[in-house]
Amino acid sequence: MPVGQEVGIAGLLGDRTVLDAPPLFILSMAGREELSALAMECGWKPVAARARSSAENRFLASLSRTALVDVRGMTEDEALDYVRSLTDAVDASNSTMIVTIDAALEAVLLRLVGAGATHFLVGEFTRSQFEAVLVAADRIAQKLLDNLAEQRNRDTLGRGGAMLWRWRRSDRDLAISPPLVRLMGTLAPDFNPYRQGPSALVRMLGRSERRDAVTAIRDLVQGLKPAVFIHSVPGEPGRRLIQHLYPDQAGFSGEVEDFNARRGDGRDRDAMTGLVARRSALSWIGDAIAAGERVTLLMVGISGLNHVNIAFGRHVGDAMINRVASRLTTMMMSVGGRNPLVARIAGAEFLIGIRGDSQMSDKALIDRAGFIAPQILGDIDRPFNTGEHVVRVTARGGIAVSNADDTPEGVLLRTSSALADARRGGAQGGVRVRVAGGESTALHHERIDSDLRLALERDEITILFQPQYTVVGDQMVGVEALVRWRHPVHGEIGAGALFAIAERSDFVVPLSDHIHARALGEVARWPLSLAHLRISLNVTAADMAQPDFVEAVLAQVDRSGIDRRRVTLEITESGLIEQLNEVSHMLTRLRFGGLSVAIDDFGTGYSNLTYLRSLPLDYLKLDGSLVRDVAASPRGRVILRAIIEMARSLDIKVVAEGVETEQQRMLLEGKGCEYFQGFLRSPPISSAALAALVESEAG
């Protein structure tokens, strides 16, 4: 056959050079050279190893999505041990495992599947068969990453419990997140991140694991490329952590994933949303009851989804399900207490679970759920923009609490019955509560509504500021003002829950006005070291509906004494859905008055790209879900690049929200994003903490 006539399966993946070929990790005692040569012929870059002892870390460091394990010539037990040496690492990285095996051992294929194998080459195989299995395994691995990456981010990095650290060469400063400080403090009571660098973390590891850590860091620093290693927690040999290392312009950073915690609930997940599925939800309830705790369950049911699927297509309905899952997760992060449960039980039914002390009364438990339920239902009832139409669905809720003699199935059944009662109640159903042995009753929530009106008088509303940085150069250029309600009973309540309560009680405009005045007042009192920072204020649809909105905002800024050019108004998409022409005119007047304007949370649901063309905008703020997708999915990266390029062609600057990993920041830089904010650099902080942060970065 003439040269170039045979394209082969590798051709389907595009032309590759040695430099851009995807890595393939090979673990083989005797066939490394043969398999490596064959892999190179098929367009892969082999990374080969022989010893089981170092296989895990070498596989993770290779960044390969597939492990090829060669057990030809081995006995059954030897083959199983060889495969198991990579099982945890393959599982942790959502990768695939190809096993080459002699035909004589074909009877143990199911045992090898149980040990972690996903694909097989049995007996003698041709180059075409080898290539076909490589391509199949690679595509399955990509699908696993696409489907599970959002879940993984949510479980390990998408909340305040993230374990992160960052090393800056210039000042030899090790910044470390509070959860990791707590973990390290339990391992070494004298641990002090402010005077100890990464070497202190390495010294805590066992001697054999230190070598892997040092090798990974050396590859990171010298090769300026990501690296990975896995290690046990000192003193807890059964618990293991995975360290993901990333270089940046100032130094490098690490993201620490608790592998055991992830595996503990990661095997029974809803494929669409990544939330816990029914079986794991029942286990969560059972564990709490067995521990002597009481559980409050809230089941949320969505009505109207079938009509959405029929009218707009199943893809729109699926997008709405994912959006609801995201809203529930975000809400529970701020008000869910210790280890809350967020699960998808059925197609349009979700389950929220909250643990409580065994001494808590039914009323106290129900009050907690009664505080959360109206906020969740109100958030789901908000309109959803498909790009061409405004879609609305309704939600109902059912609440039940557990008793000491309950079974998980029993309390779940009561919750489901309460939801059924709420649905039968129609528009007046709202939320129903069912206690053991009793009929369901309606939930009343007047108390929390009245508490909100008193919160302003009691000075319970506080303002925090989240810094915004340039993606290139890592310079702090502004902050977003965020609100927290320090409720005397329910604790800290985030902005989403706070505004859901305010909307239900028709208190949005007074609350928003109070927040703007407080934020501008604090900024006006900032020291000179903060005078260069821009301030972003969130504006609601209710604010914009006021007839004198533009004049009132400009007057409020002027009263504060802040230069109008330092102020940006962030408008959520829900405020743009209707009356686009009026909104455009309003934004033009605001910009003419000297303020800047941004669309907030762009990318939630089906964003209408005509906003970018029709509205006079200075900034586009990408929703955190898009930021998570940039590191999780090739499709997400394509969508993000298209949005950024469109925005830049219209002279609109792009700000990414929810950036929590150095990998995300690096990918955003490559796509042309100008600014970012998120836990990677700083959570929302007080004015005093902001001043201290600016001073430390300047020094």
Side-chain angles (χ1 to χ4, degrees):
M1 179 177 296
V3 176
Q5 183 172 337
E6 181 181 357
V7 176
I9 294 178
L12 298 176
L13 302 180
D15 295 332
R16 294 171 175 154
T17 65
V18 174
L19 292 178
D20 65 9
L24 173 67
F25 182 77
I26 300 172
L27 179 63
S28 174
M29 291 291 291
R32 289 188 306 160
E33 290 76 11
E34 167 206 353
L35 294 172
S36 295
L38 199 53
M40 291 183 66
E41 289 180 23
C42 296
W44 265 262
K45 181 174 66 177
V47 180
R50 177 185 291 116
R52 289 187 307 163
S53 58
S54 61
E56 275 191 333
N57 277 301
R58 293 199 62 184
F59 167 69
L60 291 170
S62 74
L63 300 181
S64 174
R65 294 195 298 226
T66 298
L68 175 61
V69 182
D70 180 23
V71 299
R72 292 172 298 178
M74 296 184 181
T75 66
E76 179 178 331
D77 289 340
E78 289 172 341
L80 286 168
D81 287 343
Y82 214 53
V83 167
R84 286 170 180 152
S85 66
L86 276 181
T87 299
D88 287 348
V90 168
D91 192 20
S93 57
N94 293 320
S95 301
T96 52
M97 183 192 298
I98 303 170
V99 175
T100 60
I101 185 172
D102 294 324
L105 287 182
E106 190 171 356
V108 301
L109 290 183
L110 285 179
R111 294 190 65 190
L112 289 170
V113 170
T118 60
H119 297 74
F120 293 96
L121 287 165
V122 181
E124 297 294 329
F125 51 84
T126 66
R127 177 186 181 279
S128 295
Q129 291 171 333
F130 181 78
E131 189 175 12
V133 172
L134 284 185
V135 172
D138 186 73
R139 288 178 175 172
I140 293 297
Q142 183 59 58
K143 288 182 179 180
L144 286 172
L145 290 172
D146 290 349
N147 292 338
L148 298 179
E150 183 174 349
Q151 166 202 326
R152 180 172 179 175
N153 283 335
R154 184 183 299 126
D155 289 345
T156 61
L157 299 174
R159 53 176 173 256
M163 294 190 290
L164 310 170
W165 57 270
R166 182 172 183 245
W167 172 252
R168 290 168 48 136
R169 292 190 187 92
S170 59
D171 50 13
R172 302 186 63 79
D173 174 60
L174 177 66
I176 184 168
S177 67
L180 191 54
V181 170
R182 290 193 291 270
L183 175 62
M184 293 297 102
T186 62
L187 304 179
D190 61 343
F191 178 76
N192 184 342
Y194 302 105
R195 59 178 174 81
Q196 295 172 300
S199 59
L201 302 178
V202 174
R203 285 195 296 271
M204 293 182 184
L205 307 180
R207 291 189 177 275
S208 62
E209 294 175 328
R210 292 180 195 173
R211 180 176 62 252
D212 295 324
V214 171
T215 299
I217 293 174
R218 183 173 62 244
D219 292 344
L220 171 81
V221 174
Q222 295 179 353
L224 293 178
K225 62 181 181 179
V228 185
F229 68 96
I230 190 170
H231 62 87
S232 299
V233 174
E236 298 183 55
R239 182 182 178 191
R240 303 206 294 170
L241 303 177
I242 302 171
Q243 298 256 3
H244 303 266
L245 310 180
Y246 299 100
D248 62 36
Q249 294 177 334
F252 53 89
S253 61
E255 303 167 8
V256 184
E257 179 182 358
D258 191 328
F259 178 52
N260 292 61
R262 182 174 166 274
R263 289 189 65 183
D265 65 1
R267 294 189 180 275
D268 183 30
R269 288 274 174 176
D270 174 58
M272 181 185 298
T273 64
L275 296 180
V276 168
R278 183 185 183 90
R279 186 178 62 186
S280 287
L282 287 170
S283 296
W284 183 93
I285 299 167
D287 290 344
I289 293 175
E293 297 175 307
R294 300 196 69 187
V295 172
T296 308
L297 297 182
L298 164 64
M299 187 175 292
V300 177
I302 302 172
S303 301
L305 193 61
N306 288 337
H307 299 298
V308 172
N309 289 334
I310 294 171
F312 306 111
R314 184 63 180 265
H315 64 288
V316 176
D318 290 349
M320 293 186 69
I321 287 290
N322 277 290
R323 186 175 181 183
V324 169
S326 178
R327 288 183 177 183
L328 292 177
T329 302
T330 301
M331 181 76 73
M332 295 310 296
M333 284 177 188
S334 62
V335 299
R338 178 174 56 87
N339 187 27
L341 168 72
V342 183
R344 186 184 180 205
I345 300 300
E349 292 183 354
F350 296 84
L351 186 68
I352 302 297
I354 309 171
R355 293 174 182 257
D357 187 85
S358 60
Q359 304 303 314
M360 293 181 69
S361 65
D362 283 358
K363 182 180 183 303
L365 293 167
I366 292 170
D367 281 348
R368 290 177 62 187
F371 162 67
I372 296 171
Q375 303 167 45
I376 289 177
L377 268 57
D379 203 26
I380 295 173
D381 286 345
R382 291 205 331 253
F384 180 89
N385 180 19
T386 69
E388 297 294 333
H389 305 277
V390 176
V391 178
R392 287 181 170 87
V393 294
T394 58
R396 298 288 179 265
I399 295 174
V401 297
S402 70
N403 296 313
D405 57 351
D406 256 326
T407 63
E409 292 80 4
V411 66
L412 185 60
L413 179 60
R414 286 202 303 276
T415 313
S416 181
S417 298
L419 174 59
D421 292 343
R423 281 176 161 159
R424 282 192 291 269
Q428 303 302 319
V431 181
R432 304 284 296 186
V433 180
R434 183 180 286 271
V435 296
E439 298 293 329
S440 68
T441 57
L443 176 71
H444 301 286
H445 44 71
E446 291 83 359
R447 175 62 184 273
I448 190 70
D449 293 354
S450 62
D451 284 351
L452 176 57
R453 296 175 184 274
L454 294 172
L456 274 59
E457 301 175 10
R458 296 171 177 169
D459 200 28
E460 295 170 357
I461 304 296
T462 60
I463 306 297
L464 300 177
F465 301 92
Q466 185 165 44
Q468 298 171 335
Y469 290 81
T470 57
V471 173
V472 178
D474 207 26
Q475 299 297 312
M476 190 191 302
V477 293
V479 296
E480 178 184 0
L482 299 170
V483 63
R484 297 290 185 270
W485 179 11
R486 303 192 185 282
H487 193 280
V489 175
H490 299 295
E492 185 174 283
I493 300 172
L498 174 57
F499 275 94
I501 298 169
E503 186 173 0
R504 189 183 63 237
S505 58
D506 195 24
F507 199 61
V508 171
V509 173
L511 175 63
S512 186
D513 185 68
H514 176 83
I515 292 169
H516 293 165
R518 284 286 302 272
L520 291 170
E522 284 202 37
V523 173
R525 294 190 295 272
W526 279 355
L528 288 177
S529 61
L530 305 183
H532 66 289
L533 297 179
R534 299 187 57 83
I535 171 71
S536 295
L537 302 174
N538 290 282
V539 175
T540 70
D543 294 326
M544 298 175 67
Q546 301 304 302
D548 60 344
F549 169 67
V550 173
E551 292 75 13
V553 168
L554 294 175
Q556 192 174 49
V557 173
D558 290 342
R559 284 195 300 271
S560 71
I562 299 173
D563 189 334
R564 291 183 179 182
R565 292 171 297 180
R566 290 179 62 192
V567 179
T568 299
L569 300 184
E570 296 188 3
I571 303 163
T572 59
E573 284 193 62
S574 61
L576 304 173
I577 287 176
E578 299 170 350
Q579 301 173 333
L580 194 59
N581 289 336
E582 292 183 18
V583 171
S584 178
H585 179 64
M586 193 179 301
L587 300 188
T588 299
R589 293 168 58 200
L590 288 169
R591 296 182 77 212
F592 185 77
L595 305 185
S596 296
V597 177
I599 292 183
D600 195 14
D601 297 333
F602 192 85
T604 54
Y606 278 68
S607 298
N608 194 335
L609 296 180
T610 59
Y611 293 159
L612 305 188
R613 184 182 69 241
S614 306
L615 298 177
L617 300 171
D618 298 286
Y619 299 95
L620 173 67
K621 297 198 70 178
L622 300 174
D623 183 68
S625 61
L626 277 178
V627 174
R628 288 194 297 271
D629 283 346
V630 73
S633 162
R635 180 179 299 177
R637 291 192 283 274
V638 170
I639 293 172
L640 189 71
R641 183 190 300 114
I643 293 174
I644 292 175
E645 288 178 354
M646 184 179 298
R648 295 183 70 182
S649 68
L650 297 171
D651 199 27
I652 301 173
K653 297 180 177 62
V654 179
V655 184
E657 295 184 286
V659 178
E660 297 175 331
T661 72
E662 189 60 38
Q663 181 190 25
Q664 291 170 349
R665 191 206 63 78
M666 291 171 61
L667 288 169
L668 288 166
E669 179 179 353
K671 306 304 177 191
C673 181
E674 288 97 340
Y675 306 101
F676 75 97
Q677 66 186 76
F679 189 79
L680 175 64
R681 291 295 177 265
S682 174
I685 54 179
S686 66
S687 290
L690 179 66
L693 178 61
V694 170
E695 182 180 348
S696 67
E697 291 181 347

